[in-house]
Amino acid sequence: QVQLVESGGGLVQTGGSLRLSCAASGRTFSRLYMAWIRQAPDKKREFVAAISDRGNLANYADFVNGRFTISRDNAKNMVYLQMNSLKPEDTAVYYCAANDFKLSSDINDYDNWGQGTQVTVSS
């Protein structure tokens, strides 16, 4: 098992930026594929972005449209999501998730999840 703790959420105005962080422990971080997944009120969880174990590959949901960047620092056991040009529809709880077998945009492939951090974008 891997423990994941998110931070960096908050309230921001439309067009603003936030940087989410996720601290991992309990497993060899450099062997994990990491993802950010979000859940808006009354909606299902949806994939946002994922990054490979070495950080050289990344996938993004279509709605990201160049606004978000996922990155990782294997020396610090951290993964980040830089979010720019935020919109009210980005309001959600953002979860950090991990698996140890592949880079995936299918949220069902991730078997370790954090508790989430709330992002609220005001109009």
Side-chain angles (χ1 to χ4, degrees):
Q1 281 288 72
V2 58
Q3 290 75 48
L4 302 170
V5 179
E6 303 93 337
S7 61
L11 174 64
V12 64
Q13 292 185 334
T14 297
S17 298
L18 281 175
R19 187 194 195 205
L20 305 184
S21 300
C22 173
S25 61
R27 294 278 298 276
T28 303
F29 183 70
S30 60
R31 296 180 181 176
L32 297 174
Y33 297 83
M34 303 298 298
W36 288 97
I37 293 158
R38 72 184 187 183
Q39 186 169 20
D42 300 322
K43 292 189 177 181
K44 295 181 179 180
R45 289 184 178 183
E46 64 178 350
F47 171 79
V48 178
I51 190 166
S52 62
D53 51 353
R54 291 182 294 166
N56 57 323
L57 297 172
N59 289 345
Y60 295 93
D62 290 343
F63 64 78
V64 169
N65 199 24
R67 299 181 298 129
F68 298 174
T69 302
I70 189 170
S71 62
R72 67 189 294 161
D73 185 337
N74 283 354
K76 295 181 178 180
N77 289 3
M78 297 289 294
V79 63
Y80 307 98
L81 185 68
Q82 177 66 44
M83 304 188 294
N84 300 325
S85 302
L86 283 162
K87 306 174 182 179
E89 50 264 44
D90 293 318
T91 295
V93 176
Y94 284 72
Y95 298 92
C96 176
N99 76 56
D100 62 2
F101 61 97
K102 71 174 182 178
L103 181 65
S104 176
S105 59
D106 184 346
I107 65 172
N108 295 309
D109 285 335
Y110 293 91
D111 53 4
N112 291 275
W113 294 70
Q115 294 300 306
T117 185
Q118 176 71 46
V119 171
T120 302
V121 184
S122 63
S123 57

